[in-house]
Amino acid sequence: LARHWILIDHDAGQLTDKNSSDAEKAAADELAKAVTVYLEDLGFPSPALCDSGNGYHTPIRCDLPNNTSTKALIQRFLNSLDQRFAGQYGTAHVDTGVYDPNRITKCYGTKTFKGEATTERPRRYSRVIIEGSKNPATIEQVTAVAEEYTEITYSHSGSAEVCSSQEQADRLKIQQAYLD
């Protein structure tokens, strides 16, 4: 009936079937801190801070209806954050796929099992680090950030394609590798 949290997932950017390395996880931590400072500077209430095991979550309280308009708003909000911070913290990025209220997030206190446990890529426990403000972000605050998102359209073979800033960054890396 309602959405009470906006999940911001600061993904370390490791391969899908691997746990993050300490360096990748540290980059996700730096990204989480930068996003938090940015949002708080805009007047957002302090988000919670959670260790997801391989990265970090900074969920923000909200009080929004659970409908298609809110889903689209949160998707643009996450895309805007990803676009603003893309490429600044190694492979770490804002996961833009967690706008869907049906997505299940981490059950804090559980252990990650993305891949084989190695010295370089250990399995870690998730946990809540800071509870965050009890005050919700307003729809006006969320909308202001969402409106900063600029869709990027690529044209190839006569068809247009819209992609996220993470996809844009990936394409730029491929193009640069080809040029090198």
Side-chain angles (χ1 to χ4, degrees):
L1 298 175
R3 292 183 71 146
H4 296 292
W5 293 97
I6 299 172
L7 175 63
I8 305 173
D9 180 2
H10 309 279
D11 195 324
Q14 77 279 8
L15 295 173
T16 324
D17 59 345
K18 303 281 183 196
N19 295 308
S20 63
S21 67
D22 290 342
E24 290 164 338
K25 188 169 180 190
D29 181 40
E30 291 302 312
L31 173 61
K33 289 174 184 174
V35 169
T36 297
V37 167
Y38 169 70
L39 293 174
E40 288 177 340
D41 284 351
L42 293 176
F44 275 75
S46 297
L49 175 61
C50 304
D51 181 335
S52 69
N54 283 312
Y56 291 89
H57 295 165
T58 53
I60 297 174
R61 289 184 195 270
C62 65
D63 188 12
L64 302 171
N66 186 22
N67 57 32
T68 55
S69 296
T70 299
K71 183 177 177 180
L73 173 64
I74 292 173
Q75 182 178 23
R76 287 188 65 82
F77 173 83
L78 294 173
N79 284 338
S80 177
L81 293 175
D82 181 47
Q83 191 171 63
R84 174 171 287 280
F85 294 95
Q88 295 181 34
Y89 298 93
T91 57
H93 63 276
V94 173
D95 184 343
T96 59
V98 296
Y99 65 90
D100 186 348
N102 293 324
R103 287 210 33 160
I104 297 172
T105 189
K106 182 73 60 181
C107 180
Y108 301 112
T110 60
K111 196 171 197 176
T112 58
F113 282 90
K114 277 201 165 183
E116 182 181 338
T118 66
T119 303
E120 184 180 317
R121 297 183 178 279
R123 292 180 177 153
R124 303 176 188 93
Y125 281 93
S126 63
R127 63 192 174 102
V128 175
I129 300 169
I130 299 170
E131 185 178 322
S133 175
K134 300 238 187 265
N135 298 322
T138 66
I139 193 165
E140 292 81 13
Q141 290 171 315
V142 177
T143 300
V145 171
E147 287 176 349
E148 293 177 2
Y149 175 63
T150 305
E151 288 184 354
I152 299 164
T153 305
Y154 288 92
S155 180
H156 59 85
S157 306
S159 65
E161 175 184 351
V162 176
C163 65
S164 72
S165 56
Q166 182 61 45
E167 291 167 331
Q168 176 191 9
D170 292 344
R171 285 183 183 181
L172 290 173
K173 285 178 191 174
I174 292 168
Q175 289 171 351
Q176 187 61 45
Y178 177 75
L179 294 173
D180 291 343

